[in-house]
Amino acid sequence: MAEEKKLFKVTIDNISIEVEPGTTVLQAARKIGGDVVPPAMCYYSKLKGSGGKCRTCLVRVAAGSTADPRPMPKLVASCRTNVMDGMVVESMTNNTVLDARKAVVEFLLINHPLDCPVCDQAGECDLQDLSYDHGREGTRYEFKRRTFERHDLGPYIQLHMTRCILCFRCVFAADQLTNTRVHGILDRGDHSEIATYIEKSLDNDFIGNVIDVCPVGALTDRTFRFKNRVWFTKPVDAHRNCSKCCGKVRLWMRGDEVLRVTARKDQWGEVEEFICNECRFEKKKVNDWIIEGPTKVARHSVISAGHYVGVKKPHEALPEVMGGRKPKLVFDIHSVSDVNEAEVDLSLLPGPATNETFNGDPNAFGKNVTDVKIEEGSNKKGTDSTNANVL
Ligand code: SF4
Ligand code: FES
């Protein structure tokens, strides 16, 4: 008879669970689920070696193990700390941990441009969520933030290094999913930056996945940039027969248009199965795909705004109090809204839409001044502005 595997009992925020030896505190917390799960900005369960860079997942180990119940002297990164039998961990129940997380968020935001209103990642940005959940209201930082020029890394990906938090996920993704990694983190300390050194394009078959693993808006999809805000799009699960990848994707649609294709993500915001560049960038027509149905979006996500599933309509009391008469409809918003005009194909415009696109010229589009592909050059002014239409 096979010998029974010994499990370790770990208690996190007073909830106990048994896990296999070698499990990290973060993985054990994810098994429990809910509020006890520490946030994670650099750890990515699908990327070997990730974690240990950002310190957002700090927890306190109040008792190391049954054999040695002393507390650990400092807060530890839960993504890099293995559980021991009898370990007791404090995550959301310890104020020192919560204070430390606030400090980490403040630190991550020191050089972050806070350009969420114009950033393509807004609405699905881990740093945005983190600062709402664990951040302070203000910053004590008074110095100039460091800024970088934006770079087009090939036809599909734009790097906006100013927003990067140096989590290394894109480096691990390129290492583990492609044959040749041509980008990495250059220099040290506050000079560190993601770069290709000599302007090279990221064009390997699976390199598009760096966009999905990037927790902020540092690596964005050039075929989607400035096309829409994510909360106006409807995520739909779809698949196709693909010879390179699993072909299972998420389409981000506006009306009948496929504005963006991404891999599907799980409840931790991690890609379930990585997809190839062809599925991601070159299949933007609905009939390229077999549609499975609307994606189930977590309630807390801004993407869920406007996607009402299983909603119970409140009891309509007006006709009762008005003696059977119906309230007069002043106007129907759908008949007067200019959004989603049938003749405007946002996904097929080579650049971002402009006023003219919706006012008479459905083919009008703006230009991305950093677009090296159409020889507009890079952003020489080095500003934080990401508006596609201004220099
Ligand atoms: S570009 Fe994105 S994924 Fe890469 S290190 Fe920076 S934040 Fe992380
Ligand atoms: S998620 Fe643990 S250090 Fe970044």
Side-chain angles (χ1 to χ4, degrees):
M1 209 172 90
E3 208 178 296
E4 224 175 83
K5 230 184 209 172
K6 173 154 172 51
L7 296 178
F8 284 174
K9 181 179 165 197
V10 55
T11 306
I12 307 174
D13 284 352
N14 304 318
I15 305 172
S16 297
I17 188 170
E18 292 197 329
V19 293
E20 285 185 10
T23 306
T24 62
V25 173
L26 179 65
Q27 285 161 343
R30 284 186 176 184
K31 283 202 163 124
I32 295 173
D35 284 348
V36 305
V37 184
M41 294 296 288
C42 67
Y43 172 75
Y44 209 82
S45 64
K46 277 97 193 171
L47 298 174
K48 257 188 268 144
S50 64
K53 308 282 188 299
C54 69
R55 321 299 289 177
T56 49
C57 63
L58 289 177
V59 291
R60 177 169 181 267
V61 176
S65 65
T66 315
D68 182 359
R70 285 177 300 169
M72 288 193 182
K74 289 181 183 172
L75 302 185
V76 296
S78 59
C79 69
R80 281 297 176 106
T81 307
N82 282 0
V83 295
M84 298 297 287
D85 196 23
M87 186 181 256
V88 178
V89 177
E90 293 164 352
S91 174
M92 289 299 279
T93 50
N94 185 303
N95 283 335
T96 314
V97 172
L98 298 182
D99 274 352
R101 284 189 197 154
K102 280 196 176 116
V104 172
V105 178
E106 195 179 3
F107 186 72
L108 287 177
L109 290 174
I110 277 181
N111 279 310
H112 196 79
L114 298 181
D115 57 351
C116 312
V118 291
C119 176
D120 268 335
Q121 188 88 355
E124 51 183 2
C125 173
D126 292 345
L127 188 55
Q128 208 176 25
D129 292 345
L130 182 75
S131 47
Y132 276 109
D133 289 344
H134 295 275
R136 292 184 203 280
E137 298 80 28
T139 176
R140 290 168 288 174
Y141 194 70
E142 294 170 352
F143 306 98
K144 199 166 179 278
R145 287 152 199 258
R146 64 181 197 159
T147 54
F148 295 82
E149 283 184 17
R150 282 164 284 158
H151 291 289
D152 286 329
L153 304 175
Y156 297 130
I157 301 171
Q158 185 168 94
L159 167 67
H160 197 170
M161 177 54 219
T162 311
R163 296 177 184 149
C164 172
I165 58 159
L166 295 167
C167 72
F168 275 79
R169 280 183 186 176
C170 61
V171 180
F172 286 117
D175 249 350
Q176 291 165 34
L177 302 178
T178 69
N179 300 330
T180 38
R181 170 165 69 84
V182 293
H183 83 290
I185 294 189
L186 302 184
D187 297 333
R188 293 196 176 186
D190 67 346
H191 289 274
S192 307
E193 62 171 301
I194 285 283
T196 57
Y197 203 59
I198 301 166
E199 294 272 319
K200 280 204 176 183
S201 66
L202 305 187
D203 52 10
N204 199 296
D205 256 353
F206 277 75
I207 197 66
N209 291 295
V210 297
I211 300 167
D212 282 346
V213 302
C214 183
V216 294
L219 293 166
T220 47
D221 179 345
R222 286 186 59 202
T223 66
F224 178 64
R225 272 174 76 77
F226 304 111
K227 289 277 168 75
N228 228 296
R229 307 305 299 188
V230 69
W231 52 89
F232 292 140
T233 59
K234 279 199 197 311
V236 170
D237 288 349
H239 65 268
R240 64 182 274 270
N241 275 338
C242 177
S243 55
K244 297 179 194 158
C245 71
C246 62
K248 292 183 198 155
V249 301
R250 192 149 288 160
L251 308 179
W252 298 82
M253 302 185 61
R254 181 94 193 240
D256 290 336
E257 276 189 89
V258 177
L259 292 179
R260 178 175 71 150
V261 182
T262 66
R264 298 181 192 176
K265 289 192 175 178
D266 62 17
Q267 59 173 319
W268 311 115
E270 293 184 2
V271 165
E272 286 171 5
E273 285 179 88
F274 293 108
I275 60 167
C276 68
N277 281 7
E278 186 185 334
C279 286
R280 184 186 298 275
F281 300 119
E282 283 158 30
K283 299 290 170 193
K284 296 283 184 91
K285 298 216 175 77
V286 180
N287 52 16
D288 289 329
W289 298 98
I290 299 161
I291 306 285
E292 293 167 24
T295 302
K296 281 208 176 99
V297 181
R299 267 293 132 213
H300 86 275
S301 166
V302 68
I303 302 165
S304 71
H307 302 292
Y308 304 113
V309 179
V311 175
K312 275 200 185 149
K313 266 188 144 186
H315 174 63
E316 185 57 88
L318 269 181
E320 281 167 26
V321 296
M322 290 172 70
R325 283 177 298 129
K326 284 202 173 147
K328 193 176 161 202
L329 188 66
V330 182
F331 67 80
D332 180 355
I333 186 74
H334 300 292
S335 63
V336 296
S337 169
D338 282 340
V339 178
N340 267 4
E341 286 175 22
E343 63 275 22
V344 177
D345 272 334
L346 286 175
S347 60
L348 300 182
L349 292 179
T354 66
N355 251 351
E356 287 82 58
T357 321
F358 297 101
N359 288 316
D361 183 359
N363 296 319
F365 62 91
K367 57 185 180 178
N368 182 347
V369 292
T370 68
D371 202 330
V372 289
K373 195 172 70 173
I374 52 172
E375 294 177 354
E376 292 294 337
S378 56
N379 175 20
K380 295 290 180 216
K381 287 194 172 170
T383 66
D384 277 341
S385 165
T386 43
N387 185 334
N389 296 313
V390 293
L391 195 56

